[in-house]
């Protein structure tokens, strides 16, 4: 009887925890509507909530080790996406065999082309002389622009560039430097490295820049001519920072001082690095789902799943009477447990994952059926209900264990080899199958042991007598 | 009591016939491979007015002549905020191979040309899988299948006997081959979700088989020396048949509505399970156990 009490207590504790995790109010995903509203504590995959998964190959030069640049690529993309307002985007490294790729997942957007351009381009970082700074809501016009020939193409010399943080601050800049033998530009390819540091001589923080050998010659020429003026560093048409040139800088390295916080210094150095995406990225695959489609599919699947669930529940009651009702309770228990675990562990629920949940219905019912057939057998042998229930569960244990463990094995293999949405299926399959074992062996058992008197014993004993004839 | 064992030769013959038919389908008709495995570009558009598949094709081929070979299908209508939207699936044979400019050109041209006809279209889904990606997914699928088979064989050998392991794997191969035949026969798309269905099916099929083997193992101890192997196997199957049928029927009842109403996204998955459950139950009763009888007899002597 002691084991029985332990089982009851564990069952109650588990379901309370699951309910708690599932219903704990959270403010995330408040925009969910329809059926999804009830899943607000569960992280939804891009195929359900809508969004885009873009995966890129890195076009490497021979002899380049992808491990060395992948972190930089991720950092660059992260900064670019943040700067463009895609703050929910997730950038990750994908290792597949001996290849390394980057994956960008952006939830809930429809206009993917902008993001794609942002990721796909190497980005343009350049230095330019600041002519004046003004405040304006819209981009001011350059009156009487001048033109210079750069790389055989005629380009506008002046332009207005917005501040990266302040939407109303516009810098009028001279994009090309005109004090050499011929006009030239100074771009991110001349910057080898950028890092942030504490300013040891003065207060505050600084950013160190290192230039290539060609870059340092150009930079010497630029700083020599612009002492006392401001030099803007511009990434993708936004001014990152515009320090004043104090002196002519020789020797291939420079420092930007007077930065107030370490965060700002880090950001500036990261953005300068971000201008130099070290490789070209080639799109490997894309999966974009609009929010309408995802919601529609999910609603249909949930409705179809609930219909199936309902039919199965009725079937079980017709076939097994009281024990069938216990199986139905187990079914609801396991579904709730699964949803609770998904909510509690932040696992991502995908479309195939939903299918996995629905399949768990099957596994749970199966476990119950195996046990009930055992119990019926024991009843036919003339054992009293409570003993029959106990014997049935004990004998069915190893059958259930072997049968379910094979499913879990298949799920684990799937989890390791699958990527993206199918992984969601593997997750729900594994959790669901383990959950069904717990539900069947602990929850169903404690209910049936408490209520064994409700089992219609005569029905089975009569059947046994008839078979005996 | 049913006699499952007596006519085993006939059922093995029937299964062989089914497997051969499946293989003929697989090798002559082949599979309807989705973009996951074949590579390519597919997208779903919605329109506020009904348009013909030919109209969609005309517009596609006016953008680029290569697009004329696209596969176009009308999907079930969508209901968004009480307005009915029509849905079309387009699969381009050639991938846009990740080109952003080609994609942009396609999307903008489509929108423009439809709006000239007074139809507003929206892109609901856009999948572009390069040939390399498809190759990679394919190789992973094989690894997954082979590794799970080895693990499962090892597990069953550990818990039962090697002969049972072989029997279970044969039954499993039987189920998967026949289900693949059905995919080919009905031109159901094979995509990553379909592979997930195959692996689930593998789990289910083994599950079924193991329940029967478990019974056989128990009864062999109980009736040792009293009854022949054939009898023992037959008694065991009869003892678990109610469970096998109940489980299969309930699983089938769950999967069927999803197959009917789930739509394009989940159909390849649901189809595999619906067919697999039926085939799997048949094999666990008529194939998996009878097939090990000969082996069990040998080990006895």
């Amino acid at each position: 009887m002691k084991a029985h009490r332990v089982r009851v207590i564990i069952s109650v504790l588990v379901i309370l925890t699951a309910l708690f995790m599932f219903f704990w109010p959270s403010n995330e995903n408040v925009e969910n509507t329809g059926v999804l509203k009830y899943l607000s504590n569960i992280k939804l995959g891009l195929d359900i909530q809508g969004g885009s998964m873009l995966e890129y190959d890195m076009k490497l030069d021979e002899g380049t080790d992808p491990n060395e640049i992948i972190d930089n690529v991720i950092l660059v993309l992260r900064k670019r996406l943040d700067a463009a307002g895609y703050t929910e985007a997730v950038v990750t490294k994908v290792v597949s065999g001996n290849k390394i790729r980057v994956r960008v997942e952006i939830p809930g957007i429809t206009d993917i082309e902008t993001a794609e351009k942002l990721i796909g381009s190497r980005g343009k970082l350049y230095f330019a002389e600041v002519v004046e700074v003004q405040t304006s809501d819209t981009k001011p016009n350059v009156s009487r622009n001048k033109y210079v020939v750069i790389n055989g193409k005629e380009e506008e010399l002046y332009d207005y560039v917005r501040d990266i943080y302040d939407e109303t601050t516009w810098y009028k800049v001279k994009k090309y430097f005109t004090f050499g033998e011929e006009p030239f530009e100074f771009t991110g390819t001349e910057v080898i490295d950028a890092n942030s540091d504490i300013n040891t001589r003065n207060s505050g923080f600084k950013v160190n820049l290192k230039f290539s050998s060609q870059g340092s010659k150009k930079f010497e020429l630029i700083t020599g001519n612009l002492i006392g003026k401001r030099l803007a560093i511009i990434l993708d048409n936004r001014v990152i920072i515009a320090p004043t040139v104090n002196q002519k800088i020789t020797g291939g390295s420079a420092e930007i001082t007077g930065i107030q916080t370490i965060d700002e210094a880090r950001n500036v150095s990261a953005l300068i690095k971000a201008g130099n995406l070290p490789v070209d990225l080639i799109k490997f695959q894309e999966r974009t789902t609009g929010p309408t489609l995802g919601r529609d599919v999910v609603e249909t699947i949930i409705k179809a799943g609930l219909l199936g669930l309902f039919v199965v529940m009725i079937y079980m009651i017709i076939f097994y009477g009281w024990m069938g009702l216990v199986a139905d309770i187990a079914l609801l228990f396991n579904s709730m447990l699964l949803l609770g675990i998904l909510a509690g562990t932040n696992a991502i629920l995908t479309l195939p994952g939903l299918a996995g949940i629905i399949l768990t219905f099957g596994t749970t019912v199966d476990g119950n059926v195996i046990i009930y057939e055992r119990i019926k057998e024991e009843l036919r042998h003339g054992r009293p209900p409570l003993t029959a229930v106990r014997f049935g569960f004990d004998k069915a244990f190893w059958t259930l264990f072997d049968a379910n463990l094979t499913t879990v094995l298949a799920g684990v293999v799937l989890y390791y080899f699958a990527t993206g949405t199918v992984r969601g299926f593997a997750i729900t399959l594994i959790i669901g199958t383990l959950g069904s074992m717990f539900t069947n062996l602990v929850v169903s058992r404690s209910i049936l042991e408490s209520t064994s008197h409700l089992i219609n014993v005569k029905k089975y004993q009569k059947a046994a007598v008839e078979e005996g004839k | 009591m049913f006699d499952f064992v007596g006519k085993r030769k006939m059922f093995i013959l029937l299964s062989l016939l089914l497997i051969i038919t499946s293989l003929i389908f697989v090798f002559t008709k082949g599979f309807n491979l989705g973009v996951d495995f074949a590579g390519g570009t597919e997208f779903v558009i919605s329109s506020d007015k009904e348009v013909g598949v030919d109209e969609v094709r005309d517009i596609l081929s006016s953008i680029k002549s290569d697009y004329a070979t696209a596969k176009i299908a009308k999907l079930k209508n969508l209901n968004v905020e009480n307005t009915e939207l029509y849905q079309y699936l387009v699969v381009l044979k050639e991938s846009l191979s990740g080109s952003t400019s080609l994609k942009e050109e396609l999307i903008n041209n489509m929108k423009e040309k439809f709006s000239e006809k007074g139809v507003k279209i929206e892109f609901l889904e856009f999948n572009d899988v390069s040939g390399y990606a498809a190759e990679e997914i394919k190789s992973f699928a094989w690894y997954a299948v082979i590794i799970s088979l080895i693990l499962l064989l090892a597990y069953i050998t550990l818990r039962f006997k090697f002969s049972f392991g072989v029997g279970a794997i044969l039954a499993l191969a039987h189920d998967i081959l026949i289900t693949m035949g059905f995919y080919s026969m009905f031109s159901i798309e094979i995509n990553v979700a379909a592979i997930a269905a195959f692996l689930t099916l593998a789990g289910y099929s083994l599950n079924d088989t193991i329940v029967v083997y478990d019974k056989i193992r128990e009864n062999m101890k109980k009736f040792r020396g009293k009854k022949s192997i054939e009898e023992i196997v037959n008694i065991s199957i009869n003892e678990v048949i109610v469970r096998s049928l109940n489980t299969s029927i309930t699983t089938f009842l769950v999967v069927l509505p999803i197959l009917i109403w789930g739509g394009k996204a989940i159909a390849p998955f649901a189809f595999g399970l619906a067919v697999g459950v039926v085939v799997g139950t048949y094999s666990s009763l008529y194939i998996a156990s009878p097939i090990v009888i000969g082996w069990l007899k040998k080990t006895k002597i």
Side-chain angles (χ1 to χ4, degrees):
Chain A
M1 240 28 241
K2 200 180 162 204
H4 174 62
R5 197 168 304 149
V6 171
R7 273 191 284 269
V8 173
I9 293 170
I10 290 178
S11 306
V12 173
L13 280 181
V14 165
I15 195 66
L16 284 181
T17 317
L19 286 167
F20 174 76
M21 288 195 279
F22 185 67
F23 287 109
W24 179 252
S26 92
N27 295 322
E28 290 170 58
N29 304 325
V30 274
E31 70 271 20
N32 284 342
T33 52
V35 186
L36 298 187
K37 191 161 64 204
Y38 301 105
L39 300 176
S40 60
N41 270 0
I42 293 179
K43 241 190 193 163
L44 299 175
L46 296 183
D47 57 342
I48 292 181
Q49 62 162 324
S52 212
M53 188 277 271
L54 302 154
E55 206 173 296
Y56 292 89
D57 243 342
M58 299 189 292
K59 193 179 174 186
L60 295 168
D61 298 329
E62 204 133 324
T64 319
D65 183 4
N67 289 301
E68 282 174 8
I69 51 172
I70 181 73
D71 291 335
N72 198 16
V73 170
I74 290 174
L75 183 82
V76 169
L77 295 184
R78 178 75 270 160
K79 290 286 171 191
R80 273 189 198 170
L81 288 163
D82 278 348
Y86 298 106
T87 46
E88 285 191 1
V90 179
V91 186
T92 43
K93 171 166 106 170
V94 179
V95 181
S96 144
N98 53 357
K99 283 198 165 169
I100 295 182
R101 288 190 296 267
V102 271
R103 176 182 296 166
V104 181
E105 285 161 296
I106 311 172
I109 63 158
T110 39
D111 174 29
I112 197 72
E113 281 79 40
T114 322
E116 229 176 282
K117 271 185 208 150
L118 210 64
I119 299 160
S121 75
R122 271 199 160 194
K124 186 155 168 80
L125 178 88
Y126 64 99
F127 288 51
E129 182 189 341
V130 178
V131 183
E132 60 173 15
V133 182
Q134 66 182 81
T135 312
S136 164
D137 286 337
T138 54
K139 186 177 178 176
N141 268 324
V142 181
S143 51
R144 279 173 290 150
N145 211 334
K146 283 184 187 154
Y147 293 86
V148 285
V149 177
I150 299 286
N151 302 332
K153 264 165 73 185
E154 193 166 79
E155 304 276 359
E156 290 180 344
L157 182 58
Y158 295 98
D159 198 4
Y160 278 97
V161 182
R162 194 155 42 175
D163 189 84
I164 191 161
Y165 303 112
D166 187 355
E167 297 283 321
T168 55
T169 304
W170 292 87
Y171 294 80
K172 186 181 182 184
V173 297
K174 204 172 159 189
K175 284 159 71 184
Y176 305 100
F177 301 101
T178 49
F179 21 73
E181 286 154 27
E182 51 185 277
F184 66 95
E185 56 183 347
F186 192 89
T187 65
T189 50
E190 318 280 15
V191 185
I192 298 173
D193 197 15
N195 57 61
S196 52
D197 207 350
I198 299 173
N199 191 346
T200 43
R201 271 169 288 150
N202 278 304
S203 63
F205 300 89
K206 63 176 186 174
V207 171
N208 295 315
L209 298 176
K210 262 205 188 78
F211 303 110
S212 64
S213 60
Q214 211 197 355
S216 45
K217 276 177 217 147
K218 282 188 187 174
F219 202 66
E220 191 179 329
L221 187 62
I222 294 167
T223 47
N225 282 288
L226 293 179
I227 293 171
K229 290 187 177 156
R230 289 178 80 184
L231 189 63
I233 302 175
I234 299 158
L235 174 63
D236 295 330
N237 278 322
R238 294 290 188 114
V239 173
I240 302 170
I241 193 167
T244 307
V245 179
N246 292 327
Q247 75 223 47
K248 180 174 173 178
I249 293 167
T250 54
S253 65
E255 48 186 43
I256 306 169
T257 54
I259 299 169
Q260 302 296 325
T261 65
I262 184 70
D263 282 341
E264 196 190 341
R266 271 202 203 118
N267 243 333
V268 168
S269 65
L271 285 170
I272 291 175
K273 261 192 185 166
N276 285 346
L277 191 54
V279 282
D280 278 325
L281 296 177
I282 302 156
K283 192 155 73 179
F284 187 67
Q285 58 173 328
E286 165 182 2
R287 276 153 213 280
T288 301
T289 309
T292 359
L293 194 63
R295 198 174 311 134
D296 181 71
V297 173
V298 169
E299 286 195 1
T300 342
I301 290 180
I302 290 181
K303 274 180 203 157
L306 286 178
L307 179 72
L309 183 67
F310 185 68
V311 174
V312 167
M313 286 173 92
I314 292 183
Y315 181 93
M316 288 299 284
I317 293 177
I318 293 174
F319 213 89
Y320 290 104
W322 170 249
M323 292 200 289
L325 192 67
V326 175
D328 291 347
I329 296 171
L331 197 51
L332 295 177
F333 187 103
N334 191 33
S335 311
M336 203 54 243
L337 180 61
L338 177 53
L339 289 175
I341 291 177
L342 284 179
T345 57
N346 270 333
I348 296 168
L349 181 62
T350 61
L351 222 53
L354 263 180
I357 294 183
I358 290 165
L359 269 183
T360 331
F361 298 167
T363 327
T364 315
V365 170
D366 178 52
N368 278 290
V369 171
I370 291 177
I371 296 165
Y372 297 165
E373 288 302 320
R374 282 286 184 175
I375 296 177
K376 272 161 71 176
E377 228 171 87
E378 300 299 321
L379 288 171
R380 281 191 206 114
H381 289 311
R383 288 192 217 284
L386 186 60
T387 321
V389 168
R390 288 203 181 136
F391 274 42
F393 273 99
D394 287 341
K395 284 193 177 169
F397 177 82
W398 285 109
T399 318
L400 274 184
F401 186 84
D402 287 335
N404 283 330
L405 210 74
T406 46
T407 310
V408 173
L409 273 180
V412 170
V413 173
L414 191 59
Y415 181 83
Y416 272 103
F417 283 99
T419 52
T421 56
V422 175
R423 253 196 176 178
F425 171 74
I427 292 172
T428 50
L429 187 71
I430 295 169
I431 301 178
T433 310
L434 292 176
S436 81
M437 255 161 88
F438 170 78
T439 314
N440 291 333
L441 294 173
V442 179
V443 182
S444 298
R445 183 169 186 164
S446 46
I447 302 177
L448 271 181
E449 280 191 11
S450 315
T451 61
S452 58
H453 55 280
L454 291 173
I455 298 170
N456 185 355
V457 182
K458 276 186 192 141
K459 188 174 146 196
Y460 304 116
Q461 283 172 347
K462 209 170 82 191
V465 174
E466 273 170 11
E467 254 174 48
K469 280 179 190 173
Chain B
M1 203 185 276
F2 280 110
D3 184 13
F4 289 99
V5 175
K7 290 181 178 140
R8 63 178 184 271
K9 291 212 170 94
M10 198 186 89
F11 283 110
I12 291 174
L13 205 68
L14 172 70
S15 284
L16 279 176
L17 216 67
L18 280 171
I19 290 174
I20 289 168
T21 318
S22 291
L23 288 176
I24 289 174
F25 264 105
V26 170
F27 283 110
T28 55
K29 193 177 175 212
F31 289 118
N32 170 17
L33 289 178
V35 291
D36 288 339
F37 290 108
T41 301
E42 64 171 9
F43 54 87
V44 175
I45 53 171
S46 69
S47 66
D48 56 352
K49 292 194 186 85
E50 184 158 13
V51 289
V53 166
D54 290 339
E55 275 180 87
V56 181
R57 191 183 303 283
D58 284 346
I59 285 177
L60 276 170
S61 53
S62 75
I63 296 169
K64 207 168 165 212
S65 55
D66 291 356
Y67 297 160
T69 55
K71 263 196 289 185
I72 303 166
K74 191 175 182 307
L75 303 178
K76 72 179 179 83
N77 293 354
L78 263 182
N79 231 324
V80 181
E81 283 146 19
N82 294 325
T83 48
E84 189 100 328
L85 290 179
Y86 301 90
Q87 236 192 133
Y88 303 88
L89 167 74
V90 179
V91 184
L92 301 178
K93 291 264 160 59
E94 290 289 311
S95 160
L96 300 177
S97 45
S99 160
T100 309
S101 58
L102 271 179
K103 178 186 163 189
E104 208 173 344
E105 182 195 320
L106 174 69
I107 291 178
N108 291 341
N109 273 324
M110 290 269 293
K111 282 188 175 164
E112 209 172 284
K113 292 198 167 153
F114 270 107
S115 76
E116 279 168 19
K117 293 186 166 205
V119 181
K120 188 173 179 291
I121 65 159
E122 213 64 66
F123 279 77
L124 299 182
E125 192 179 308
F126 197 99
N127 294 327
D128 181 14
V129 179
S130 69
Y132 300 109
E135 277 306 311
E136 194 178 284
I137 294 170
K138 234 187 248 178
S139 67
F140 278 163
W142 278 116
Y143 279 133
V145 169
I146 289 166
I147 289 185
S148 36
L149 284 184
I150 293 172
L151 277 177
L152 295 171
L153 184 63
Y155 184 77
I156 299 169
T157 309
L158 192 76
R159 298 277 308 140
F160 295 86
K161 271 183 180 175
F162 183 68
S163 57
F164 280 130
V166 175
I169 298 286
L170 283 177
L172 179 64
H174 166 272
D175 297 350
I176 290 192
L177 282 175
I178 293 175
T179 312
M180 278 170 122
F182 273 94
Y183 269 88
S184 172
M185 197 190 296
F186 290 98
S187 292
I188 305 290
E189 186 181 320
I190 299 254
N191 55 15
V192 178
I195 296 298
F198 280 122
L199 282 172
T200 319
L201 168 62
Y204 262 54
S205 162
L206 281 167
N207 194 315
D208 254 1
T209 309
I210 283 174
V211 172
V212 185
Y213 284 179
D214 191 59
K215 244 317 183 288
I216 295 177
R217 184 172 55 178
E218 188 189 320
N219 283 336
M220 274 174 72
K221 277 183 205 143
K222 200 160 131 191
F223 298 117
R224 190 181 296 275
K226 288 181 212 153
K227 287 194 162 117
S228 71
I229 296 286
E230 279 97 341
E231 275 176 294
I232 292 175
V233 169
N234 204 40
I235 290 171
S236 308
I237 297 176
N238 272 287
E239 278 175 354
V240 298
I241 186 169
V242 179
R243 172 264 160 195
S244 288
L245 287 178
N246 273 349
T247 299
S248 305
I249 291 169
T250 47
T251 309
F252 192 76
L253 287 178
V254 172
V255 177
L256 195 65
I258 300 176
L259 178 61
I260 297 172
W261 292 295
K264 165 194 102 79
I266 213 80
F269 178 82
F271 179 84
L273 284 180
V275 174
V277 164
V278 177
V279 179
T281 309
Y282 157 76
S283 78
S284 74
L285 295 179
Y286 288 98
I287 302 299
S289 306
I291 220 172
V292 290
I293 286 179
W295 212 316
L296 288 177
K297 273 185 179 164
K298 265 182 218 153
T299 51
K300 261 273 170 101
I301 301 163

